[in-house]
Structures are given as C-alpha cells and as structure tokens.
Amino acid sequence: MERYWNEEIETMSREDMKKLQNERLVKQVRHVYDNVKYYRDLMDKKGVKPEDIKSTDDLCKLPFISKADLREAYPYGLLAKPLSECVRIHSTSGTTGKRVVAFYTQHDVDLWNDCCARAITAAGGTNEDVCQVCYGYGLFTGGAGLDGGSHKVGCLTLPMSSGNTERQITFMRDLNTTILCCTPSYAAYIGETLHDMGLTPDDIKLKAGIFGAEPWTEEMRRSIEKSLGIKAYDIYGLTETSGPGVAFECSEQTGMHINEDNFIPEIIDPDTGEVLPEGQVGELVFTSITKEAFPLLRYRTRDLCVLSRKKCSCGRTLIKMAKPMGRSDDMMIIRGVNVFPSQIETVLIEQGYSPNYLIEVDRVNNSDTLDISVEMNTDQLSDKVKDMQKQERDLATAMRMMIGITPKVHLVTPKSIARSEGKAVRVIDRRKLHD
Ligand code: DLL
C-alpha cells in the first residue's frame, strides 16, 4: 500500500491545490515586493505591481530571475527577512563563477525537511528504517536535506556524508541500513565496491535508494538496482529553491511529483521565455510560494524537462516532472549536432559497459572532435588487439545511431577512470579553454 507523508496535500484535488497556490502566491509576491529592493526594481521596470497578481494565471506577468541576478545580488541582495530571523545558509559549489548563497529561517528549514520526508515516505521509509545519508554534509544541501527528512520520518539516521566507501559498506552491514541516500554515481561506486569486497546484495539489508543531484539515465537506474538489490528512486532540487525535495519519485518510478504546495513549476522556451503547454520540453522555472528568507519568483533553473498531469498509480495528484535531461548548459554542440551526456550513457549501459566514462571535446583544425573513454568490465578485456578494435568500432557505431555523429571510442582498463563520491564530472570541453 502506498504511504504518504502528508496525504491531504499529496492527494489534494486540482481545484483545491490551485486555490492554495493562488492564496500563497498573492501573499508571497507582496512579501517579496515589500522586502526585496532588487525584486521591486525588476517588477517596477516591467510595470507590474503586487496587486496585478491575483492567481497563478498571472504568473507570466512577473519578471524572470536567473543565476546572473543571484550573483549580482550576492550575498544579501535577495534576502527577504532580517538576518536575525535566519538560522542557516547553504551554497552552490560555485565551480563557474561566484557562489550562490541561500538563506533559511527555521520555518524554511521545517518546510524543506517536510519535502524530504515526503520523498523518504514515497520510497517506503518509516520509523522502522535505517537511513544512511551519504550525500555531502556542509554547504551542499544534499546531506542536510535528506538528514532533516529522515529525522522527521523517524528513521534511524546515519549521517555518513560521502567518501570512505568501504567504511560505508561496513556500517551498512553492521547497522542494517535499509535506505541509502547519495548521488547515483556514488551509488554505482558503492555497488561496485560491495562486489569488490566479495559481497552480494544478499549480504546487506538495503531496500531502497534515494538518488539525485545529477542527471542519471533509466539504464543507470537498472544497473544500480541490480548491483545493490534495491528499488532506486529519483529526487530533484536545487540550492536556490532550498535543496533536495522540490520533487520526488513514487512507486510508479515514472517521473517525480513536484511539491506544488511550495513550488509552482512552469516550462518555458529557453530562447524566447514563452510559457510552453504541458508535455513540451523546455526550461523548468520555479516560483517558491512558502519560503520566507530567500523566496525566488520565476527562477530559471536551466534544467530541461517535461511536465505531466497524467494520473499516477500511487494516488498522488501532484504534477510530475520527467527526469531532467540535463541543463541547457550541459548540452554540447558538436559539429553542429546537439549532444547530451545522458545519450552517451544510455548507449554504454545498453551495450553492457560500465557507467564509468569520460567525454572529451576539443577543436582541432577548426573541426570539433569527440573522444569517449569507456571503462571495460573485466570480462570485456581481451589480449587480442583486433578484438579490442572491433569492440571500439561497434561501440562507436552504436553511438552514431544515438547521437548522429561518430565519436572516437577508447576502451580503457577496469578502474582506470576516477570514481565520484558526489556529483560526477563526465565532460571535459577543451574548446572553452581555447575560446
Ligand atoms: O543538487 C540538490 C540536491 C541534493 C538534489 C541531493 C537532489 C539530491 P545544487 O547543487 O544546487 O543542488 O544543484 C542543482 O543539480 O539544477 C540540476 O541540474 C541537478 N539535479 C538535481 N537533482 C537532479 C536529478 C542539488 N534528480 C542542480 N536529476 C539542478 C537530474 C538533477 N539533475
């Protein structure tokens, strides 16, 4: 039987949800306009006043806000509550440019924990479970978010953070962990280490995993489910909207339910900003209608995905988002063709290779090059050069069928590609270095 953390909200009728969203949106726009000069200026510039926003149908009147705005307003420019009422910050990794700092009041932390509790419950978690949190703790939201959710549900929480993989497995065995929370690439690594230690899924008690923070394919899901003997659930979120738990997967495993009582989603055309109808792929935009300290209106996530209101067998009525197919800025344009790393991963796993790979893009003599290093499993190793070359050619052909261009494939020895304990780095685009 499907369990809910907040049945009333999670199964609410469309009309009631819209009513709740309308009320919260009107209040939120007023709060933001009155307390954040940066927004007031943006809204004034667009000629829109708080009283023009009466329902979610008026959302499109509001200006968008983007990562560039967050950087410009760093650190306090978008704060909507006095610092004395804030109890926490989290921050993005800031690999490209200035960090983004998000602030939380206690009310914000409670709501966020609640969203994560919904995700854990949807994955079958109860107070009988032992939940091992191997997302990074610290400024990253993964550790704190799932930790808070796990406490709410009443699971015995193991705040492991990431790394020291053999120790993770030892704890998992000694304390009978039933739910694992980490990035999908780290879950794959944990599965691999389990097997390297001479163990099988029968030696552990895991039943579910809650994996997110990076794109992962259905093929990767199946591979992790097999190596750990679990059901793997997706979870989505971003620092700017609080962290994990904006959306979570249920038993149907066909996309993630968005916590619409807190976040209103829209899909827009990333080039024109025009709102697209349900079912079309575009950039995901969120308006947070309950956050106090750092409430973003129409925040452009740069994540590409599709929304769906198709009836879900779990009984939840919350709108669903498909697995994001990557960020608009993850998409590589190689010789004029759009290529997503996820397409490459799909082919690799379908062809029986491991999800350990590195994509390198460069420009030589004004022409783009695409090199993909792929790790072999031990049973794919051959001491005949001819066999290896054939395997590389076959894989390159399978890639061409998927992405439309032929990469140069390099099969490399097992364990030669660095493993990830957090978000995996799978693409090196050297063209950017030359530009
Ligand atoms: O990654 C929050 C999080 C932690 C989500 C733990 C889930 C689990 P950021 O570091 O700010 O926050 O990165 C947010 O990661 O815009 C997406 O591009 C990507 N992302 C997050 N979850 C998923 C997912 C956390 N399930 C950015 N599938 C987002 C694909 C995801 N991409």
Side-chain angles (χ1 to χ4, degrees):
M1 204 191 64
E2 190 79 26
R3 283 204 192 85
Y4 309 105
W5 176 252
N6 185 336
E7 185 165 355
E8 189 194 343
I9 289 284
E10 292 174 59
T11 61
M12 190 173 254
S13 73
R14 183 75 210 113
E15 303 84 75
D16 287 351
M17 178 57 75
K18 190 152 166 64
K19 211 167 134 230
L20 183 69
Q21 287 180 330
N22 289 346
E23 279 163 21
R24 291 181 170 177
L25 176 68
V26 168
K27 228 170 113 200
Q28 184 73 306
V29 173
R30 170 54 71 189
H31 167 60
V32 165
Y33 190 85
D34 288 349
N35 292 290
V36 185
K37 180 178 179 307
Y38 197 93
Y39 264 114
R40 198 159 50 244
D41 290 348
L42 282 180
M43 284 174 62
D44 287 347
K45 210 164 127 198
K46 209 163 182 250
V48 48
K49 293 274 171 240
E51 46 277 20
D52 298 331
I53 310 298
K54 297 188 181 71
S55 80
T56 55
D57 299 334
D58 299 319
L59 259 182
C60 58
K61 296 181 184 158
L62 289 169
F64 290 115
I65 187 147
S66 69
K67 193 133 187 160
D69 293 297
L70 267 54
R71 291 197 172 126
E72 199 181 315
Y74 174 91
Y76 301 125
L78 290 166
L79 193 59
K81 280 279 179 185
L83 274 181
S84 57
E85 287 185 40
C86 296
V87 297
R88 175 91 67 80
I89 69 147
H90 282 283
S91 171
T92 56
S93 56
T95 40
T96 51
K98 229 188 238 170
R99 278 177 179 277
V100 166
V101 179
F103 298 84
Y104 305 68
T105 61
Q106 187 56 51
H107 161 92
D108 294 337
V109 174
D110 290 342
L111 282 180
W112 176 28
N113 290 169
D114 211 71
C115 288
C116 289
R118 292 182 196 175
I120 293 172
T121 309
T126 69
N127 60 354
E128 302 290 333
D129 281 290
V130 178
C131 181
Q132 187 159 336
V133 183
C134 320
Y135 286 109
Y137 279 65
L139 286 173
F140 177 54
T141 55
L146 271 307
D147 186 290
S150 173
H151 274 102
K152 274 225 164 177
V153 173
C155 305
L156 175 65
T157 311
L158 273 56
M160 300 292 292
S161 202
S162 60
N164 208 334
T165 310
E166 290 201 4
R167 193 184 64 183
Q168 300 275 7
I169 292 171
T170 306
F171 264 100
M172 202 176 275
R173 296 187 75 201
D174 294 349
L175 295 167
N176 295 322
T177 302
T178 49
I179 299 178
L180 173 67
C181 305
C182 61
T183 58
S185 52
Y186 194 39
Y189 183 24
I190 293 177
E192 189 183 353
T193 310
L194 182 83
H195 292 263
D196 289 350
M197 287 166 78
L199 302 169
T200 71
D202 290 339
D203 296 305
I204 52 174
K205 297 272 183 314
L206 273 191
K207 61 176 190 189
I210 304 178
F211 307 135
E214 62 183 1
W216 54 310
T217 56
E218 283 302 324
E219 290 72 20
M220 179 92 160
R221 187 206 304 263
R222 280 192 285 277
S223 152
I224 298 172
E225 287 188 331
K226 192 159 159 235
S227 77
L228 290 170
I230 57 169
K231 216 168 156 175
Y233 297 85
D234 205 349
I235 184 166
Y236 170 90
L238 54 162
T239 315
E240 295 88 323
T241 56
S242 62
V246 169
F248 62 95
E249 221 168 32
C250 62
S251 54
E252 201 181 87
Q253 291 182 301
T254 53
M256 295 173 271
H257 290 284
I258 297 176
N259 283 313
E260 281 182 275
D261 53 325
N262 296 309
F263 307 101
I264 305 179
E266 294 171 277
I267 292 282
I268 62 159
D269 178 325
D271 297 324
T272 62
E274 181 202 346
V275 178
L276 297 176
E278 186 194 310
Q280 282 200 25
V281 181
E283 180 178 348
L284 191 53
V285 170
F286 281 113
T287 297
S288 52
I289 46 176
T290 46
K291 280 177 62 186
E292 292 180 340
F294 197 68
L296 299 183
L297 307 179
R298 298 197 93 199
Y299 179 65
R300 293 186 61 156
T301 63
R302 296 179 295 169
D303 289 322
L304 298 175
C305 85
V306 186
L307 296 178
S308 162
R309 282 212 180 271
K310 241 192 239 143
K311 196 167 185 281
C312 186
S313 61
C314 76
R316 287 180 184 77
T317 47
L318 300 170
I319 194 168
K320 271 159 102 171
M321 59 181 269
K323 260 182 183 310
M325 40 191 81
R327 290 196 158 205
S328 47
D329 41 5
D330 272 351
M331 188 183 78
M332 306 173 280
I333 304 181
I334 305 172
R335 288 175 231 148
V337 178
N338 297 350
V339 179
F340 281 99
S342 57
Q343 296 174 300
I344 291 172
E345 184 175 299
T346 298
V347 175
L348 286 181
I349 302 182
E350 264 174 13
Q351 301 286 319
Y353 289 89
S354 75
N356 299 303
Y357 59 96
L358 184 67
I359 301 168
E360 291 170 273
V361 189
D362 207 342
R363 186 168 294 138
V364 179
N365 297 331
N366 290 322
S367 172
D368 293 335
T369 59
L370 172 62
D371 287 71
I372 308 175
S373 301
V374 180
E375 222 180 74
M376 284 173 290
N377 299 315
T378 29
D379 56 344
Q380 289 161 328
L381 276 172
S382 163
D383 41 17
K384 290 204 190 100
V385 175
K386 255 191 166 166
D387 286 353
M388 301 290 291
Q389 285 173 337
K390 179 168 181 321
Q391 282 189 61
E392 287 178 342
R393 273 199 314 272
D394 289 350
L395 196 48
T397 308
M399 295 277 182
R400 195 193 56 223
M401 308 283 276
M402 173 67 105
I403 59 179
I405 52 173
T406 312
K408 197 157 177 34
V409 171
H410 310 271
L411 289 177
V412 299
T413 49
K415 311 252 186 274
S416 55
I417 292 180
R419 300 294 186 264
S420 153
E421 295 171 350
K423 299 192 191 226
V425 178
R426 295 206 163 105
V427 181
I428 301 176
D429 193 340
R430 296 210 171 75
R431 296 174 302 182
K432 291 185 181 145
L433 303 175
H434 308 320
D435 288 344

